[in-house]
Amino acid sequence: MKNLIIIIFAVLIPVHSLAQNSPTNEKEESAMKPSKNDDGEWDLIVIDTQFDYFMNAIAKPINQYSEATLKSRNTILVNEWNSYYRSGRYRNIIESSIDYDSREKYGIKFEYKLYQVFAYVNWKYNLRMSGLSASDLIN
């Protein structure tokens, strides 16, 4: 009986140690992903208290943009953003990548809000991005 207990411990301890020391993917990919709201529309949630102020007081109104223009600019801006994220530039500002598919029809409200996120980052952190139009560069 004593030998059986020793054998069980001899087998379980290395297995337990291997389970604890198994390699883990320390760099988990964090990405902002668009999601649909209860109405089935694409939605983007920005958790920053100043973003609502920016949208209401500073951002240009949605009627000054076309969906096609916003989509083309967002494609450029998302690529630039993700490039900064992968390279580690602006770590204090860019904490995740953006999962954006330029072939998806998100709708003008979503495209507008995403574009305004980039304009907001320019306004708040003075991070210039090449896809922003000159009139949206706010300093």
Side-chain angles (χ1 to χ4, degrees), residues 14 23 26 34 47-48 56 58 67 88 90-91 108 120:
E26 299 249 346
I47 305 171
D48 190 320
N56 293 323
I58 297 171
E67 186 174 353
Y90 309 112
R91 286 180 208 226
I108 191 160
Y120 172 72

Side-chain angles (χ1 to χ4, degrees), residues 125-139:
Y125 301 105
N126 202 26
L127 175 62
R128 293 194 180 267
M129 300 184 76
S130 60
L132 286 173
S133 71
S135 64
D136 290 319
L137 293 174
I138 304 164
N139 290 329

Side-chain angles (χ1 to χ4, degrees), residues 3 13 17 25 39 97 100 122 126:
N3 289 339
I13 290 175
S17 295
N25 186 2
D39 298 331
S97 63
Y100 178 82
N122 167 251
N126 202 26

Side-chain angles (χ1 to χ4, degrees), residues 8-89:
I8 291 173
F9 278 122
V11 171
L12 290 179
I13 290 175
V15 170
H16 182 65
S17 295
L18 286 174
Q20 287 181 341
N21 294 333
S22 63
T24 58
N25 186 2
E26 299 249 346
K27 186 179 178 186
E28 293 181 22
E29 192 70 25
S30 61
M32 291 187 281
K33 295 183 179 187
S35 60
K36 290 190 176 185
N37 61 19
D38 294 338
D39 298 331
E41 294 178 346
W42 289 100
D43 198 10
L44 180 66
I45 299 170
V46 178
I47 305 171
D48 190 320
T49 55
Q50 291 183 322
F51 184 74
D52 288 335
Y53 165 76
F54 175 82
M55 290 292 286
N56 293 323
I58 297 171
K60 289 178 13 182
I62 193 170
N63 63 4
Q64 293 192 11
Y65 301 95
S66 72
E67 186 174 353
T69 300
L70 290 170
K71 182 172 275 304
S72 67
R73 288 185 184 166
N74 283 340
T75 300
I76 294 166
L77 288 161
V78 166
N79 286 331
E80 186 175 359
W81 180 278
N82 288 341
S83 174
Y84 289 155
Y85 173 74
R86 285 189 297 277
S87 71
R89 286 181 72 188

